[in-house]
Amino acid sequence: MNVIDIAPSKAEELDQFAGNDMPLGRRLRIWGAISLNLEGKVSIGNAAEIAEMHKGAFEDYLSDHHVPISLLTIEDVMRDVETIRKLDKQ
Amino acid sequence: MKPPIIDSSPIISLAVIGRLEVLEELYSHFCLPVQVFEELQFHLTRHISNAKDLIEALKPRVLILKNALQSERTAPHPGLGERACLVLALETGITNLLIRDKHAKTYAEQQGWFCFGTMALLLSAKKQGLMLELRPYFETFAASGRFYTSQLLNHVLSLAGEQLL
């Protein structure tokens, strides 16, 4: 059997992200979902599914914990602006 | 511009700042898949005082997918609403998407479709005179639990020629 040892600092992160009044399994699920989203591995909608939360509720949760709901970079915004410019010319 | 397919997040952001009508003014025939509409119903009802009116206004825009989402393989790791937007684009041939998620955008751009997000939409609305200033709306985001990084918001404000947060 594989045993996962959670370091104290990680446990604090779990508390911060998921609230220490939740069962550990639920906290791990939410923490994992947030981590995967922040690492760019899954979309926010997919992260909400992993966390077993509604997308809107998941976004609320992120915002409540000062985790950005958008991972867009400045370059992304510039590209989007250029896209709109192209589309407006069509 | 041809009317886009719209995901839930941009609609929520506009609803939060009380400017959902900007979508109508910019893209009179926009549409959204029923999965996105269901996400919106949940979120707007919890957060917006006139949610019922907004939901009624959005109803005529809702399209139902022909294909079951479960059988579709689109972008890796998108959520249900994002996946539904991509499938709707495949089904309808609509190639403009207002969608924020990077995974969905990457897939869409690989198909040769055009994607943009809320921030670019807001800049476009200001350019067209539909919004005088973006800064007050960004302050509302912060107060209403729509947390964007200040770096991102300030960059958009600098593009809009406004005072930074």
Side-chain angles (χ1 to χ4, degrees), chain A residues 40-43 45-46 49 54-57 59-60 63 66-69 74 76-80 84 87, chain B residues 7-9 39 42-43 46-47 77-80 82 96 100-103 105 109 117 120 145-147 152 155:
Chain A
K41 300 271 172 49
V42 300
S43 73
N46 194 213
E49 289 172 11
H54 197 282
K55 184 181 174 187
E59 288 186 345
D60 289 346
S63 291
H66 295 276
V67 179
I69 59 171
I74 290 165
D76 292 326
V77 174
M78 297 303 288
R79 209 155 54 110
D80 286 359
I84 289 183
L87 289 170
Chain B
D7 190 21
S8 58
S9 296
E39 286 179 353
F42 176 89
H43 197 278
R46 288 176 62 192
H47 291 279
H77 314 305
L80 181 64
E82 297 143 358
N96 301 338
R100 188 189 61 198
D101 177 67
K102 277 191 174 186
H103 291 83
K105 284 179 77 171
E109 285 166 3
R146 303 286 293 167
F147 183 71
L152 179 67
H155 180 72

Side-chain angles (χ1 to χ4, degrees), chain B residues 49-69:
Chain B
S49 57
N50 62 336
K52 201 176 168 185
D53 295 338
L54 296 181
I55 289 165
E56 284 302 313
L58 288 169
K59 265 185 189 171
R61 311 294 190 162
V62 177
L63 297 179
I64 296 169
L65 303 180
K66 291 175 190 157
N67 297 319
L69 279 176

Side-chain angles (χ1 to χ4, degrees), chain A residues 9 11 19 22 28 35 57 70 83 90:
Chain A
S9 62
M22 286 184 188
L28 279 169
S35 299
S70 173
T83 298
Q90 286 182 353

